[in-house]
Amino acid sequence: LRPHSRAAGHASEGRLIELAGARSSGKTALAYRMAAGATSRGELVGWVDLPNALDPRFLLRAKVRLEDVLWLRPPDLQAALRAAELLVKTGFALVVLDLEGAPPRELAQLGASVWTRLLRALRESRATALLLGTQRAAGSFATLGVSTTRERALFDSGLFEGLASRLEVLRNRSGASDLELRFSVHHRP
């Protein structure tokens, strides 16, 4: 899961990657790693934080260059979607759209035009949008749909050290689906 790198001259089209899973399943940790990769290549990252849950200390711990991140805290779902589209159109290589806690009814009522517009902007700019949430929202519009599941908490000498999680590919337009990957997220500085 690497965001597109303009610096490396990749010719891929824009992508909408959807990471769905329960809280503490590892999806935000994966987003931190993707943001770290993007900023290490000198790319700009936009983080649209609908739940107002982003902690910049965790970005720093993941080695994200904070000076290359624009953090937005929109008031509602529609503003979050408009902000993500605007960031893509203005040259951000990776846009993280955190919709955690968005009202399920509002997510279900989003029309195809919302996702079509975002995909068009992503393709034109050859950027990547990473959609985070407890449930899938973009569905068939996503280039890659992934589900994360926490398997167990990791402890060392009785102290919490991180999570062991499973990642399952549910939809992949450019390759095989039904793949699984296990990963661990450690909370060491």
Side-chain angles (χ1 to χ4, degrees):
L1 296 176
R2 266 188 57 207
H4 168 70
S5 173
R6 288 184 207 154
H10 292 239
S12 70
E13 64 178 42
R15 294 174 284 194
L16 175 58
I17 300 172
E18 188 165 38
L19 275 176
R23 289 189 170 121
S24 298
S25 64
K27 63 185 178 293
T28 305
L30 287 173
Y32 292 156
R33 298 294 182 215
M34 288 181 69
T39 61
S40 74
R41 292 185 300 275
E43 298 172 339
L44 297 176
V45 173
W47 198 291
V48 182
D49 183 19
L50 182 63
N52 193 19
L54 181 65
D55 187 338
R57 294 175 294 183
F58 288 108
L59 288 174
L60 282 173
R61 189 179 281 177
K63 309 271 190 270
V64 175
R65 289 174 34 110
L66 290 184
E67 57 270 18
D68 292 337
V69 177
L70 178 61
W71 178 19
L72 303 171
R73 296 180 292 177
D76 58 39
L77 179 60
Q78 292 302 320
L81 293 164
R82 284 192 307 273
E85 186 179 346
L86 184 60
L87 289 170
V88 167
K89 287 180 176 180
T90 56
F92 284 76
L94 175 65
V95 175
V96 178
L97 178 55
D98 188 350
L99 299 181
E100 184 81 36
R105 179 175 286 188
E106 283 185 45
L107 285 173
Q109 291 174 346
L110 291 175
S113 64
V114 168
W115 304 116
T116 302
R117 237 182 6 259
L118 182 58
L119 273 172
R120 185 178 309 120
L122 288 165
R123 287 182 181 132
E124 288 172 1
S125 65
R126 298 190 316 180
T128 298
L130 183 59
L131 180 61
L132 306 178
T134 53
Q135 64 185 25
R136 292 189 65 200
S140 64
F141 291 96
T143 310
L144 178 65
V146 177
S147 172
T148 56
T149 306
R150 178 184 62 228
E151 292 189 327
R152 67 185 185 286
L154 302 175
F155 292 91
D156 183 20
S157 302
L159 299 174
F160 177 73
E161 287 293 327
L163 302 170
S165 297
R166 180 175 42 93
L167 182 138
E168 180 182 0
V169 176
L170 303 173
R171 173 175 180 72
N172 186 358
R173 283 192 183 174
S174 59
S177 294
D178 299 328
L179 301 173
E180 282 192 18
L181 169 73
R182 286 183 163 59
F183 65 97
S184 297
V185 179
H186 294 275
H187 296 284
R188 294 180 189 149

